[in-house]
């Protein structure tokens, strides 16, 4: 065997090994998945888990709140002697709900519009693409402030507002993916066999479009959770109940950060780890399926 042949074989094997390693989700993905499972489970079952009431004032006689982290209050308390662990967990219920509803709206409406534009092309594509450009051209923060300032600051309003902002990014991904698959052999074969447009979209295109959309959903959810925190700092988040943004805001004053840094720092760490896990998991899923698609 010549040196050139040996070198080519080694290169091919190295490329195969590299592709195989990329096809693995990796230990980092599973660490992120475990963290997300813990956070989502705690938020979902919070009313039935042994957490303190997030709105109760646990005043200790002879001591002035806030109280530092201890065995009684693992995360400490805020200035009103409310348990920070409970407020962080119950705040996750609102913040994660906002993220889920927002990205759900993006996938439903943006995904539908993107698939229609990418499959039918023509005036469908021109009109829908123009709508996406309008959404992307309008400052997202200004639109969010405008809607939440005019309407009641309820969970529904905040979720729908952030959902509207997620339609264009998700729709553009759905459109681009649909265009890349619309002329593939399996779609052409289904069309040749007489399949109607609805069947082709649902049975042939949708499963392939959902893969990149699902990866983007995790990234988009992370953005929505952070956006809720930003609205909280502007006083435009959900009025009733704690959210991560509101919990962080209670300890964000310079005096509070000096005397009781745990009020803001601990919720910030939880928010940071959750957003990091969402971003990392979404990126790994995207890379995993991109490599598999290339291999096919």
């Amino acid at each position: 065997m010549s040196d050139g042949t040996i070198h080519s074989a080694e290169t091919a094997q190295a490329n195969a090994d590299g592709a195989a390693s990329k096809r693995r989700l990796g230990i980092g993905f599973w660490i992120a998945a475990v963290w997300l499972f813990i956070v989502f489970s705690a938020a979902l079952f919070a009313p039935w888990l042994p957490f303190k009431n997030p709105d109760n004032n646990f005043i200790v006689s002879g001591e002035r709140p806030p109280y530092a982290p201890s065995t009684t209050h693992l995360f400490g308390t805020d200035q009103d002697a409310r348990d920070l662990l409970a407020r962080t967990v119950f705040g996750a219920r609102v913040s994660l709900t906002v993220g889920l509803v927002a990205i759900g709206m993006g996938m439903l409406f943006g995904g539908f519009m993107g698939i229609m534009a990418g499959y039918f092309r023509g005036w469908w594509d021109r009109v829908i693409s123009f709508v996406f450009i309008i959404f992307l051209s309008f400052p997202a923060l200004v639109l969010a402030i405008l809607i939440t300032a005019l309407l009641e600051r309820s969970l529904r309003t905040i979720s729908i507002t952030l959902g509207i902002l997620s339609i264009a990014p998700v729709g553009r991904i759905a459109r681009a993916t649909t265009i890349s698959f619309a002329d593939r052999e399996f779609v052409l074969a289904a069309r040749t066999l007489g399949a109607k447009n609805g069947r082709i979209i649902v049975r042939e295109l949708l499963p392939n479009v959902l893969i990149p959309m699902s990866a983007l959903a995790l990234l988009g959810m992370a953005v929505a959770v952070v956006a809720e925190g930003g609205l909280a700092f502007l006083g435009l988040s959900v009025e009733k109940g704690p959210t991560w943004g509101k919990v962080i805001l209670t300890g964000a004053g310079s005096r509070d950060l000096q005397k009781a840094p745990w009020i803001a720092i601990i919720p910030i760490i939880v928010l940071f780890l959750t957003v990091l896990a969402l971003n990392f998991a979404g990126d790994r899923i995207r890379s995993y399926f991109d490599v598999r698609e290339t291999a096919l």
Side-chain angles (χ1 to χ4, degrees):
M1 184 180 295
S2 65
D3 293 341
T5 304
I6 295 175
H7 180 71
S8 299
E10 291 176 348
T11 302
Q13 182 62 39
N15 292 335
D17 293 340
S21 64
K22 290 181 180 179
R23 281 198 295 269
R24 301 189 188 97
L25 290 172
I27 186 64
F29 170 83
W30 295 110
I31 293 175
V34 169
W35 172 257
L36 292 175
F37 175 79
I38 293 172
V39 172
F40 275 85
S41 298
L44 180 63
F45 299 107
W48 300 278
L49 293 175
F51 293 113
K52 295 178 171 61
N53 190 314
D55 296 320
N56 281 358
N57 306 106
F58 299 93
I59 301 293
V60 178
S61 179
E63 298 183 25
R64 186 175 180 179
Y67 308 128
S70 63
T71 54
T72 304
H73 303 284
L74 294 180
F75 286 5
T77 72
D78 62 11
Q79 303 90 331
D80 297 321
R82 295 173 297 186
D83 186 76
L84 274 179
L85 174 59
R87 291 184 65 77
T88 300
V89 172
F90 279 85
R93 292 172 63 85
V94 177
S95 296
L96 295 179
T97 298
V98 168
L100 286 171
V101 173
I103 200 61
M105 281 187 59
M107 292 186 68
L108 179 62
F109 295 104
F112 173 78
M113 295 169 66
I115 291 175
M116 293 297 104
Y119 181 73
F120 290 107
R121 312 282 180 91
W123 69 268
W124 277 90
D125 192 15
R126 289 192 292 271
V127 171
I128 293 175
S129 295
F130 182 70
V131 172
F132 289 161
I133 291 174
I134 292 176
F135 274 103
L136 293 172
S137 299
F138 201 88
L141 181 60
V142 174
L143 180 60
I145 293 174
L146 179 64
I147 295 175
T148 53
L150 294 176
L151 303 175
E152 60 176 354
R153 290 185 284 116
S154 64
L155 177 61
R156 179 175 60 184
T157 301
I158 302 299
S159 300
I160 292 176
T161 299
L162 297 179
I164 292 172
L165 296 176
S166 69
I167 289 176
V170 176
R172 288 171 66 90
I173 291 291
R175 174 185 174 276
T177 308
T178 301
I179 290 175
S180 68
F181 280 102
D183 296 325
R184 294 283 183 92
E185 292 79 3
F186 59 91
V187 175
L188 296 177
R191 189 179 291 118
T192 301
L193 293 173
K196 296 182 178 180
N197 290 329
R199 184 188 184 282
I200 294 174
I201 291 173
V202 174
R203 298 290 297 275
E204 308 296 341
L205 292 175
L206 186 60
N208 293 287
V209 176
L210 280 177
I211 293 174
M213 283 178 57
S214 299
L216 181 66
L218 294 175
L219 303 177
M221 185 177 176
V223 173
V225 170
V226 173
E228 183 280 321
L231 290 175
F233 271 78
L234 296 173
L236 296 173
S237 186
V238 180
E239 285 185 302
K240 297 180 180 179
T243 71
W244 279 345
K246 290 170 64 176
V247 173
I248 293 170
L249 182 61
T250 59
S254 58
R255 180 176 299 179
D256 296 321
L257 288 173
Q258 290 177 356
K259 294 185 176 181
W262 62 85
I263 300 176
I265 296 301
I266 293 178
I268 286 175
I269 292 174
V270 175
L271 174 62
F272 167 75
L273 291 176
T274 303
V275 172
L276 177 65
L278 287 168
N279 280 316
F280 187 82
D283 185 68
R284 287 305 305 157
I285 290 174
R286 179 186 57 79
S287 299
Y288 178 79
F289 283 108
D290 280 351
V291 172
R292 290 194 62 178
E293 180 185 328
T294 303
L296 291 174

